Amino acid sequence: MSESNDAVSPAAATATVTAPSVTAVGTGTSQTPPDVAVVHVGTEARAALLGEAYTRASATARALVEAALGAGVAREDLATSGLGVRSETVWKEGQGPRVVGYAATTAMTVTARDLDAVGALLDALVAAGGNALTVHSLSLEASDPAAALASAHDAAWRDALATAERLAGLAGRRLGAVVRIDTAPQQPPGGPIPLRRVTLAASAEAMPVEAGLAEVSATVSVTWELVE
């Protein structure tokens, strides 16, 4: 009977040594004026008959389209974003639910590329929709935020670099090669950018809209090697 001894190589016995490194997180912001207004509006019509409710809602929706076109909005910047019909019921003792009417709703997204004309556009939509109109939201956006996002990334990188250099100096080291870069998920191009200020005020004239400045932020995490 023979005994076998498993030999352990010097390489396997040597512990893995991780190169010293430093990771710093930087944040940066950039401001850009918005150049597009996106208005989400809707209509609602109620009637005893389904067809009547649907016809009324459709008529108001067509009036909104004509009003938007008359205010200078291009047809390709109009999009129907919702359509619904529901029954309205009441509960009667001993009879259960009973249908008493119907409500038809429509939703439309209007993209205005002239911010100076947004106030007049809102007034035109209100006049066309009347009491059947609902203004769901108004957002001011940058149609091409890529440049602002690039500036925010530049600022975030400088912030991370300054932090890493300071920490390396405290450790008596210098920064070497970059070994890893991570960025936080960013808002896709064309999406709404948070606004610093949006002011809507009722007046006898066209409703004023203050665009303010849109702010884009970016965060990066960078790892550098540390060298002597």
Side-chain angles (χ1 to χ4, degrees):
M1 182 174 180
S2 62
E3 296 181 0
S4 67
N5 295 323
D6 295 331
V8 179
S9 67
T14 303
T16 301
V17 178
T18 302
S21 63
V22 61
T23 299
V25 176
T27 59
T29 60
S30 177
Q31 293 181 337
T32 185
D35 57 358
V36 173
V38 180
V39 185
H40 297 278
V41 295
T43 68
E44 184 173 74
R46 290 182 169 84
L49 300 177
L50 173 60
E52 185 179 351
Y54 184 84
T55 298
R56 289 180 182 177
S58 298
T60 305
R62 286 194 297 271
L64 292 180
V65 169
E66 294 302 321
L69 293 174
V73 176
R75 185 172 291 275
E76 57 266 26
D77 287 328
L78 300 175
T80 299
S81 52
L83 174 64
V85 177
R86 70 177 187 274
S87 61
E88 297 188 318
T89 61
V90 295
W91 181 272
K92 286 199 171 184
E93 191 67 30
Q95 299 180 14
R98 178 185 175 186
V99 176
V100 294
Y102 297 88
T105 60
T106 67
M108 184 172 67
T109 299
V110 182
T111 301
R113 303 187 184 278
D114 181 4
L115 293 187
D116 292 335
V118 173
L121 169 64
L122 292 174
D123 286 354
L125 293 175
V126 170
N131 292 335
L133 175 71
T134 301
V135 179
H136 298 296
S137 65
L138 165 67
S139 61
L140 302 183
E141 307 171 4
S143 58
D144 184 12
L149 183 57
S151 296
H153 274 135
D154 290 345
W157 175 273
R158 292 191 296 269
D159 184 35
L161 178 60
T163 300
E165 287 179 334
R166 184 171 63 254
L167 294 176
L170 292 174
R173 301 288 188 94
R174 293 181 296 107
L175 296 183
V178 173
V179 296
R180 183 184 178 95
I181 301 175
D182 294 303
T183 61
Q186 300 296 325
Q187 202 165 295
I193 297 175
L195 294 175
R196 180 180 296 263
R197 183 178 72 258
V198 177
T199 301
L200 298 178
S203 69
E205 301 177 354
M207 182 176 290
V209 177
E210 289 190 38
L213 286 175
E215 188 172 275
V216 181
S217 61
T219 302
V220 298
S221 174
V222 188
T223 301
W224 285 267
E225 290 181 344
L226 288 176
V227 297
E228 296 292 344

